Amino acid sequence: MTAAPSASHSAPQVHIFADKAALVDAAAAQTVELMKAAIAARGRCTIALSGGSTPKPIYQAIAKTDLPWDKIFVYWGDERYVPATHTDSNAKMAREAWLDQVDIPADNIFAVPTDVDTPDTAATLYQQSLAKSFQVASEKDFPQFDVILLGMGDDGHTASLFPHTAALNERKRWVTVGSKDGQPRITFTSPLINQAHHVLFVVAGANKQAALSQVFAPEADSAVYPSRLIAPVGELRWLLDAAAGQGLPNTIEPKVHT
Ligand code: 6PG
């Protein structure tokens, strides 16, 4: 599926949960519900995963659910340029926490090919695998993921779209090379993320407060706070724990779950 890039954007939903455990439970439950809804609507679910530490317990919870795994197709919104066996690999974390625990066909899992000569080759090959998987011929027709899970760093980055990097300005490619402190990453671009039906940010911890207040501020520089670039044609949900959700601008009316 692809979407017209000019489609309108819905206002973000912001949910605040009492603590990280409640956030993890809610994020897992909502992700499962969105996967089921995609399968009911379109016969399959395409989901892109985030890396980092927050998602691991969410993936462990999803692995305990009973889903039609043959109808679920898993990708990564970003990946470190390391071997698939490296401790920093986002794919390694998700396979150990979730994908190795369920009966999902190997062909349904699309890991970033990091065993190639350069990060740019990895990005190009990953984009080609997306084009084949979504059966899209033109780069202008951005694939439309059913679900994209994102985290946010304490600097306001998301995926591997880090402040003041060239990846923030990429508007044609679906997948590009990001950089964290000079370390190469492979990342979805913001226009690809913004074509999704559903984007879920899951953010926990007081250390994220300052960046969140800037991401939600009426005015701030998306080059400094790249999560501001995320405004999908579909639904945007921010799932926060209370520690992260304190200090949001009063323009935001979060749903507080007690
Ligand atoms: C990655 C992630 C990255 C992550 C944030 C938050 O590859 O590290 O995709 O964008 O979501 O850095 O990480 P934590 O969940 O560990 O705070």
Side-chain angles (χ1 to χ4, degrees):
M1 294 290 287
T2 61
S6 59
S8 61
H9 307 299
S10 54
Q13 299 172 31
V14 181
H15 298 262
I16 297 179
F17 300 90
D19 54 29
K20 185 166 181 185
L23 171 65
V24 165
D25 289 348
Q30 292 190 27
T31 303
V32 166
E33 284 316 304
L34 289 173
M35 288 195 280
K36 288 178 177 176
I39 293 165
R42 290 177 284 279
R44 73 175 198 159
C45 173
T46 54
I47 181 170
L49 305 184
S50 74
S53 58
T54 304
K56 184 172 180 178
I58 298 169
Y59 299 159
Q60 290 169 328
I62 293 172
K64 296 186 175 84
T65 59
D66 181 20
L67 285 166
W69 297 113
D70 63 322
K71 294 183 172 59
I72 293 171
F73 297 80
V74 178
Y75 308 76
W76 276 264
D78 76 315
E79 183 60 275
R80 292 83 183 273
Y81 183 59
V82 295
T85 54
H86 193 284
T87 186
D88 287 348
S89 165
N90 289 336
K92 181 178 188 293
M93 182 272 278
R95 286 181 188 277
E96 290 172 352
W98 169 8
L99 303 174
D100 291 349
Q101 317 307 325
V102 299
D103 191 20
I104 186 169
D107 288 348
N108 287 27
I109 300 171
F110 298 83
V112 178
T114 55
D115 55 345
V116 293
D117 59 340
T118 68
D120 192 66
T121 302
T124 299
L125 289 175
Y126 201 45
Q127 178 163 322
Q128 289 171 357
S129 76
L130 296 186
K132 184 178 178 190
S133 170
F134 282 81
Q135 296 180 338
V136 175
S138 165
E139 188 173 54
K140 293 186 175 66
D141 294 333
F142 284 79
Q144 189 168 28
F145 280 82
D146 293 302
V147 184
I148 297 182
L149 298 181
L150 294 175
M152 189 195 75
D154 58 12
D155 60 354
H157 84 262
T158 190
S160 284
L161 300 170
F162 287 90
H164 304 298
T165 57
L168 303 186
N169 304 315
E170 180 57 57
R171 292 291 179 273
K172 291 184 179 175
R173 293 177 76 176
W174 306 346
V175 184
T176 192
V177 177
S179 174
K180 177 181 183 178
D181 306 331
Q183 291 305 310
R185 302 271 191 99
I186 293 87
T187 185
F188 280 11
T189 58
S190 59
L192 175 60
I193 295 169
N194 284 336
Q195 298 312 319
H197 285 287
H198 300 276
V199 175
L200 269 65
F201 274 97
V202 185
V203 183
N207 65 314
K208 307 291 176 79
Q209 276 179 21
L212 274 174
S213 64
Q214 290 300 313
V215 169
F216 281 108
E219 296 294 330
D221 186 350
S222 56
V224 182
Y225 299 100
S227 292
R228 291 177 66 87
L229 293 170
I230 306 308
V233 298
E235 180 192 54
L236 175 58
R237 297 185 197 177
W238 285 85
L239 309 184
L240 313 175
D241 69 357
Q246 286 181 20
L248 293 179
N250 55 23
T251 50
I252 301 299
E253 295 176 358
K255 178 172 172 50
V256 179
H257 302 257
T258 51

